[in-house]
Amino acid sequence: MFKVNDNYQKLPGSYLFSTVGRKTNAFMAAHPEKKIIRLSIGDVTQPIAPAIIEAMHRAVDEMGKAETFHGYAPELGYEFLRSAIAKQDYRARGCQIEEDEIFVSDGAKSDSANIQELFAAENRIAVCDPVYPVYVDSNVMAGRTGVYDPSTERWSNVIYMPCVMENGFVPQLPEETPDLIYLCLPNNPTGTTIKKHQLQEWVDYANRTGAVIIYDAAYEAYISQEDVAHSIYECDGAKTCAIELKSFSKNAGFTGLRLGYAVVPKELKCGEVSLNAMWARRHGTKFNGAPYIVQRAGEAVYSEEGRAQLKKQVAYYMENAAVIREGLKAAGYTVFGGVDAPYIWMKTPGNMTSWEFFDELLEHANVVGTPGSGFGPSGEGYFRLTAFGSHENTRAALERIKSM
């Protein structure tokens, strides 16, 4: 008789955004006359930039000719893309990242869930609270998180680093020593970030304690402040303690195309064991590479035309963020984020729970957001709105919220 992985049975409820979708669909079925505005899931709405579309068309044409046809991609990704990444995302910022330290994938979500496979089950993880659910859930599936306590909504073997209003939603170095530290900066869901000197403290701490930082930099394109690092490798010593995950979804609108990459430096080792070699082995065994057409699209992100067009798209979404942030403040809400990230983190009014406010917003404003409690126990009493809608829908949603 076969057996299943019992760790899956430990997961409480369904995935956060699945629950949001199910509740929204139920409301729409009951009220088909209502026009719903979604400011919940972090999905982009602007079309792919023209320079990228042109590159994809050229790649499609190549696939139709025997002499330019491409089959399986190289294990690490095509050299043309990895070279562009190394040059423009790293060397241009003074980070000495080599092409063979870059692993092209189908997105940062996949990498953030899969990267834990490199580490033994007895490793303890530390996560910000609130946090992107995939970090914890993927470790639950691997049997690394211990026992779940429904009364506290915490796992017994997870070190939680509360990011609350009192500390500016900035994680503090944990009192217990973790083996793996997950950092997402700028942060999802709070929209906040830290200065470069603060990030250097984390790098120094990880090197001092022998921990590895899993650094999710999916939102670095939205950074507006000069003293905020775009990559953890801007910090001294990061190559011996950090893995960085990057996405094309939010900076280039690739949520439907699926493209990302992980950086695993060759200096990152456990004794004599190279994590770069381990990830290369895992990549070669379990992944057949992102499609050639999509990787050519990724290359176009780094072209002069692509950079200019994407800068305008990021500005478009950050204009929405400013509208939400300032509109909510004017309406009397307590608001955070929306400066270096496309997320606005707001305190729920009165003594409402996150899900109570979700229901209130859906019922009376026909606007969908994301309950903060879905990101962890410290998210209770908060709510996330995204700036990825259209200008028209964003402004309409704010007017509806103000009139509640």
Side-chain angles (χ1 to χ4, degrees), residues 24 45 216 223 285 365 370:
T24 302
T45 55
D216 187 345
I223 293 171
T285 299
T370 308

Side-chain angles (χ1 to χ4, degrees), residues 1 9 29 51 99 101 126 133 141 146 151 166 171 180 202 225 268 282 287 318 344 380 387:
M1 180 68 178
Q9 311 312 309
E99 282 81 352
E101 296 174 311
M141 295 171 181
S151 65
E166 289 72 21
L180 307 175
W202 283 95
Q225 300 182 80
L268 183 54
R282 191 262 174 207
F287 186 59
M318 291 310 290
I344 290 81
E380 182 56 87

